[in-house]
PDB file of all heavy atoms in Angstrom:
ATOM      1  N   GLN A 217     -37.657 -39.479  38.698  1.00  0.00           N
ATOM      2  CA  GLN A 217     -36.882 -38.270  38.729  1.00  0.00           C
ATOM      3  C   GLN A 217     -36.323 -38.091  37.248  1.00  0.00           C
ATOM      4  O   GLN A 217     -36.459 -38.998  36.425  1.00  0.00           O
ATOM      5  CB  GLN A 217     -35.626 -38.545  39.635  1.00  0.00           C
ATOM      6  CG  GLN A 217     -35.930 -38.685  41.092  1.00  0.00           C
ATOM      7  CD  GLN A 217     -34.716 -38.661  42.002  1.00  0.00           C
ATOM      8  OE1 GLN A 217     -34.840 -38.489  43.136  1.00  0.00           O
ATOM      9  NE2 GLN A 217     -33.592 -39.127  41.371  1.00  0.00           N
ATOM     10  N   SER A 218     -35.857 -36.835  36.929  1.00  0.00           N
ATOM     11  CA  SER A 218     -35.436 -36.599  35.568  1.00  0.00           C
ATOM     12  C   SER A 218     -33.838 -37.151  35.457  1.00  0.00           C
ATOM     13  O   SER A 218     -33.353 -37.460  36.582  1.00  0.00           O
ATOM     14  CB  SER A 218     -35.312 -35.127  35.281  1.00  0.00           C
ATOM     15  OG  SER A 218     -34.467 -34.398  36.154  1.00  0.00           O
ATOM     16  N   ASN A 219     -33.455 -37.258  34.286  1.00  0.00           N
ATOM     17  CA  ASN A 219     -31.931 -37.628  34.245  1.00  0.00           C
ATOM     18  C   ASN A 219     -31.084 -36.559  34.254  1.00  0.00           C
ATOM     19  O   ASN A 219     -29.897 -36.785  34.706  1.00  0.00           O
ATOM     20  CB  ASN A 219     -31.807 -38.407  32.778  1.00  0.00           C
ATOM     21  CG  ASN A 219     -32.684 -39.543  32.659  1.00  0.00           C
ATOM     22  OD1 ASN A 219     -33.652 -39.622  31.939  1.00  0.00           O
ATOM     23  ND2 ASN A 219     -32.398 -40.711  33.402  1.00  0.00           N
ATOM     24  N   TYR A 220     -31.474 -35.335  33.848  1.00  0.00           N
ATOM     25  CA  TYR A 220     -30.660 -34.075  33.966  1.00  0.00           C
ATOM     26  C   TYR A 220     -31.430 -32.930  34.377  1.00  0.00           C
ATOM     27  O   TYR A 220     -32.695 -33.050  34.525  1.00  0.00           O
ATOM     28  CB  TYR A 220     -29.960 -33.847  32.649  1.00  0.00           C
ATOM     29  CG  TYR A 220     -29.087 -34.986  32.041  1.00  0.00           C
ATOM     30  CD1 TYR A 220     -29.528 -35.934  31.194  1.00  0.00           C
ATOM     31  CD2 TYR A 220     -27.742 -35.107  32.512  1.00  0.00           C
ATOM     32  CE1 TYR A 220     -28.745 -36.934  30.768  1.00  0.00           C
ATOM     33  CE2 TYR A 220     -26.943 -36.137  32.043  1.00  0.00           C
ATOM     34  CZ  TYR A 220     -27.468 -37.046  31.160  1.00  0.00           C
ATOM     35  OH  TYR A 220     -26.580 -38.003  30.654  1.00  0.00           O
ATOM     36  N   THR A 221     -30.739 -31.912  34.684  1.00  0.00           N
ATOM     37  CA  THR A 221     -31.555 -30.677  35.262  1.00  0.00           C
ATOM     38  C   THR A 221     -31.433 -29.435  34.360  1.00  0.00           C
ATOM     39  O   THR A 221     -31.936 -28.361  34.698  1.00  0.00           O
ATOM     40  CB  THR A 221     -30.792 -30.256  36.571  1.00  0.00           C
ATOM     41  OG1 THR A 221     -29.421 -30.150  36.439  1.00  0.00           O
ATOM     42  CG2 THR A 221     -31.136 -31.358  37.678  1.00  0.00           C
ATOM     43  N   TYR A 222     -31.003 -29.649  33.145  1.00  0.00           N
ATOM     44  CA  TYR A 222     -31.069 -28.604  32.051  1.00  0.00           C
ATOM     45  C   TYR A 222     -32.073 -29.191  31.017  1.00  0.00           C
ATOM     46  O   TYR A 222     -31.997 -30.208  30.637  1.00  0.00           O
ATOM     47  CB  TYR A 222     -29.821 -28.231  31.456  1.00  0.00           C
ATOM     48  CG  TYR A 222     -28.864 -27.465  32.340  1.00  0.00           C
ATOM     49  CD1 TYR A 222     -27.487 -27.604  32.174  1.00  0.00           C
ATOM     50  CD2 TYR A 222     -29.302 -26.532  33.284  1.00  0.00           C
ATOM     51  CE1 TYR A 222     -26.622 -26.869  33.038  1.00  0.00           C
ATOM     52  CE2 TYR A 222     -28.438 -25.892  34.048  1.00  0.00           C
ATOM     53  CZ  TYR A 222     -27.115 -26.026  33.979  1.00  0.00           C
ATOM     54  OH  TYR A 222     -26.233 -25.283  34.758  1.00  0.00           O
ATOM     55  N   THR A 223     -32.762 -28.259  30.406  1.00  0.00           N
ATOM     56  CA  THR A 223     -33.867 -28.617  29.467  1.00  0.00           C
ATOM     57  C   THR A 223     -33.203 -29.347  28.265  1.00  0.00           C
ATOM     58  O   THR A 223     -33.636 -30.439  27.930  1.00  0.00           O
ATOM     59  CB  THR A 223     -34.525 -27.338  28.867  1.00  0.00           C
ATOM     60  OG1 THR A 223     -35.346 -26.728  29.965  1.00  0.00           O
ATOM     61  CG2 THR A 223     -35.521 -27.776  27.836  1.00  0.00           C
ATOM     62  N   THR A 224     -32.166 -28.702  27.695  1.00  0.00           N
ATOM     63  CA  THR A 224     -31.537 -29.428  26.493  1.00  0.00           C
ATOM     64  C   THR A 224     -30.949 -30.842  26.861  1.00  0.00           C
ATOM     65  O   THR A 224     -31.061 -31.752  26.117  1.00  0.00           O
ATOM     66  CB  THR A 224     -30.405 -28.517  25.945  1.00  0.00           C
ATOM     67  OG1 THR A 224     -29.619 -28.112  26.879  1.00  0.00           O
ATOM     68  CG2 THR A 224     -31.125 -27.381  25.207  1.00  0.00           C
ATOM     69  N   ALA A 225     -30.280 -30.881  27.878  1.00  0.00           N
ATOM     70  CA  ALA A 225     -29.678 -32.089  28.422  1.00  0.00           C
ATOM     71  C   ALA A 225     -30.788 -33.166  28.663  1.00  0.00           C
ATOM     72  O   ALA A 225     -30.681 -34.378  28.184  1.00  0.00           O
ATOM     73  CB  ALA A 225     -28.785 -31.952  29.545  1.00  0.00           C
ATOM     74  N   SER A 226     -31.818 -32.810  29.386  1.00  0.00           N
ATOM     75  CA  SER A 226     -32.989 -33.703  29.675  1.00  0.00           C
ATOM     76  C   SER A 226     -33.562 -34.132  28.445  1.00  0.00           C
ATOM     77  O   SER A 226     -33.853 -35.392  28.307  1.00  0.00           O
ATOM     78  CB  SER A 226     -33.825 -32.926  30.682  1.00  0.00           C
ATOM     79  OG  SER A 226     -34.917 -33.766  31.098  1.00  0.00           O
ATOM     80  N   MET A 227     -34.035 -33.267  27.458  1.00  0.00           N
ATOM     81  CA  MET A 227     -34.782 -33.529  26.370  1.00  0.00           C
ATOM     82  C   MET A 227     -33.911 -34.463  25.390  1.00  0.00           C
ATOM     83  O   MET A 227     -34.468 -35.284  24.715  1.00  0.00           O
ATOM     84  CB  MET A 227     -35.355 -32.372  25.770  1.00  0.00           C
ATOM     85  CG  MET A 227     -36.225 -31.448  26.627  1.00  0.00           C
ATOM     86  SD  MET A 227     -37.371 -32.563  27.710  1.00  0.00           S
ATOM     87  CE  MET A 227     -38.156 -33.513  26.445  1.00  0.00           C
ATOM     88  N   THR A 228     -32.590 -34.144  25.333  1.00  0.00           N
ATOM     89  CA  THR A 228     -31.814 -34.815  24.332  1.00  0.00           C
ATOM     90  C   THR A 228     -31.733 -36.341  24.744  1.00  0.00           C
ATOM     91  O   THR A 228     -31.785 -37.231  23.984  1.00  0.00           O
ATOM     92  CB  THR A 228     -30.340 -34.273  24.323  1.00  0.00           C
ATOM     93  OG1 THR A 228     -30.392 -32.954  23.929  1.00  0.00           O
ATOM     94  CG2 THR A 228     -29.457 -35.000  23.404  1.00  0.00           C
ATOM     95  N   ALA A 229     -31.602 -36.529  26.076  1.00  0.00           N
ATOM     96  CA  ALA A 229     -31.438 -37.963  26.569  1.00  0.00           C
ATOM     97  C   ALA A 229     -32.797 -38.650  26.414  1.00  0.00           C
ATOM     98  O   ALA A 229     -32.930 -39.734  25.952  1.00  0.00           O
ATOM     99  CB  ALA A 229     -31.183 -37.909  28.092  1.00  0.00           C
ATOM    100  N   THR A 230     -33.945 -37.907  26.675  1.00  0.00           N
ATOM    101  CA  THR A 230     -35.212 -38.528  26.654  1.00  0.00           C
ATOM    102  C   THR A 230     -35.613 -38.937  25.199  1.00  0.00           C
ATOM    103  O   THR A 230     -35.978 -40.010  24.843  1.00  0.00           O
ATOM    104  CB  THR A 230     -36.329 -37.675  27.200  1.00  0.00           C
ATOM    105  OG1 THR A 230     -36.021 -37.258  28.664  1.00  0.00           O
ATOM    106  CG2 THR A 230     -37.689 -38.270  27.169  1.00  0.00           C
ATOM    107  N   LEU A 231     -35.388 -37.961  24.373  1.00  0.00           N
ATOM    108  CA  LEU A 231     -35.909 -38.240  22.892  1.00  0.00           C
ATOM    109  C   LEU A 231     -34.837 -39.057  22.075  1.00  0.00           C
ATOM    110  O   LEU A 231     -35.145 -39.496  21.008  1.00  0.00           O
ATOM    111  CB  LEU A 231     -36.036 -36.919  22.180  1.00  0.00           C
ATOM    112  CG  LEU A 231     -37.349 -36.106  22.741  1.00  0.00           C
ATOM    113  CD1 LEU A 231     -37.370 -34.774  22.156  1.00  0.00           C
ATOM    114  CD2 LEU A 231     -38.582 -36.872  22.480  1.00  0.00           C
ATOM    115  N   ASN A 232     -33.777 -39.314  22.655  1.00  0.00           N
ATOM    116  CA  ASN A 232     -32.770 -40.263  22.031  1.00  0.00           C
ATOM    117  C   ASN A 232     -32.599 -41.476  22.757  1.00  0.00           C
ATOM    118  O   ASN A 232     -31.791 -42.267  22.454  1.00  0.00           O
ATOM    119  CB  ASN A 232     -31.366 -39.528  21.779  1.00  0.00           C
ATOM    120  CG  ASN A 232     -31.525 -38.536  20.698  1.00  0.00           C
ATOM    121  OD1 ASN A 232     -31.487 -38.827  19.524  1.00  0.00           O
ATOM    122  ND2 ASN A 232     -31.697 -37.251  21.064  1.00  0.00           N
ATOM    123  N   MET A 233     -33.339 -41.646  23.888  1.00  0.00           N
ATOM    124  CA  MET A 233     -33.391 -42.853  24.714  1.00  0.00           C
ATOM    125  C   MET A 233     -31.892 -43.284  25.229  1.00  0.00           C
ATOM    126  O   MET A 233     -31.518 -44.454  25.229  1.00  0.00           O
ATOM    127  CB  MET A 233     -33.973 -44.140  23.977  1.00  0.00           C
ATOM    128  CG  MET A 233     -35.378 -43.708  23.576  1.00  0.00           C
ATOM    129  SD  MET A 233     -36.145 -45.074  22.664  1.00  0.00           S
ATOM    130  CE  MET A 233     -35.367 -45.231  21.145  1.00  0.00           C
ATOM    131  N   GLU A 234     -31.052 -42.278  25.542  1.00  0.00           N
ATOM    132  CA  GLU A 234     -29.717 -42.576  25.807  1.00  0.00           C
ATOM    133  C   GLU A 234     -29.159 -41.389  26.628  1.00  0.00           C
ATOM    134  O   GLU A 234     -29.630 -40.338  26.530  1.00  0.00           O
ATOM    135  CB  GLU A 234     -28.908 -42.749  24.546  1.00  0.00           C
ATOM    136  CG  GLU A 234     -27.477 -43.206  24.707  1.00  0.00           C
ATOM    137  CD  GLU A 234     -27.376 -44.580  25.473  1.00  0.00           C
ATOM    138  OE1 GLU A 234     -27.612 -45.596  24.720  1.00  0.00           O
ATOM    139  OE2 GLU A 234     -27.161 -44.583  26.676  1.00  0.00           O
ATOM    140  N   TYR A 235     -28.106 -41.768  27.494  1.00  0.00           N
ATOM    141  CA  TYR A 235     -27.491 -40.699  28.259  1.00  0.00           C
ATOM    142  C   TYR A 235     -26.456 -39.953  27.297  1.00  0.00           C
ATOM    143  O   TYR A 235     -25.984 -40.492  26.338  1.00  0.00           O
ATOM    144  CB  TYR A 235     -26.706 -41.383  29.420  1.00  0.00           C
ATOM    145  CG  TYR A 235     -27.612 -41.860  30.535  1.00  0.00           C
ATOM    146  CD1 TYR A 235     -27.948 -43.252  30.601  1.00  0.00           C
ATOM    147  CD2 TYR A 235     -28.175 -41.019  31.458  1.00  0.00           C
ATOM    148  CE1 TYR A 235     -28.803 -43.705  31.491  1.00  0.00           C
ATOM    149  CE2 TYR A 235     -29.038 -41.488  32.486  1.00  0.00           C
ATOM    150  CZ  TYR A 235     -29.403 -42.821  32.472  1.00  0.00           C
ATOM    151  OH  TYR A 235     -30.199 -43.251  33.487  1.00  0.00           O
ATOM    152  N   LEU A 236     -26.179 -38.595  27.820  1.00  0.00           N
ATOM    153  CA  LEU A 236     -25.500 -37.834  27.034  1.00  0.00           C
ATOM    154  C   LEU A 236     -24.093 -38.284  26.617  1.00  0.00           C
ATOM    155  O   LEU A 236     -23.658 -38.041  25.493  1.00  0.00           O
ATOM    156  CB  LEU A 236     -25.207 -36.470  27.881  1.00  0.00           C
ATOM    157  CG  LEU A 236     -26.366 -35.585  28.035  1.00  0.00           C
ATOM    158  CD1 LEU A 236     -26.002 -34.263  28.802  1.00  0.00           C
ATOM    159  CD2 LEU A 236     -27.262 -35.304  26.856  1.00  0.00           C
ATOM    160  N   ASP A 237     -23.384 -39.047  27.495  1.00  0.00           N
ATOM    161  CA  ASP A 237     -21.971 -39.423  27.276  1.00  0.00           C
ATOM    162  C   ASP A 237     -21.972 -40.421  26.159  1.00  0.00           C
ATOM    163  O   ASP A 237     -20.907 -40.769  25.560  1.00  0.00           O
ATOM    164  CB  ASP A 237     -21.281 -39.985  28.536  1.00  0.00           C
ATOM    165  CG  ASP A 237     -22.193 -40.970  29.237  1.00  0.00           C
ATOM    166  OD1 ASP A 237     -23.304 -41.050  29.110  1.00  0.00           O
ATOM    167  OD2 ASP A 237     -21.641 -41.719  30.069  1.00  0.00           O
TER     168      ASP A 237
END
Side-chain angles (χ1 to χ4, degrees):
Q217 299 182 157
S218 68
N219 298 109
Y220 298 98
T221 52
Y222 287 149
T223 296
T224 49
S226 182
M227 301 320 304
T228 299
T230 301
L231 292 174
N232 289 280
M233 304 183 288
E234 189 57 84
Y235 288 99
L236 295 184
D237 50 344

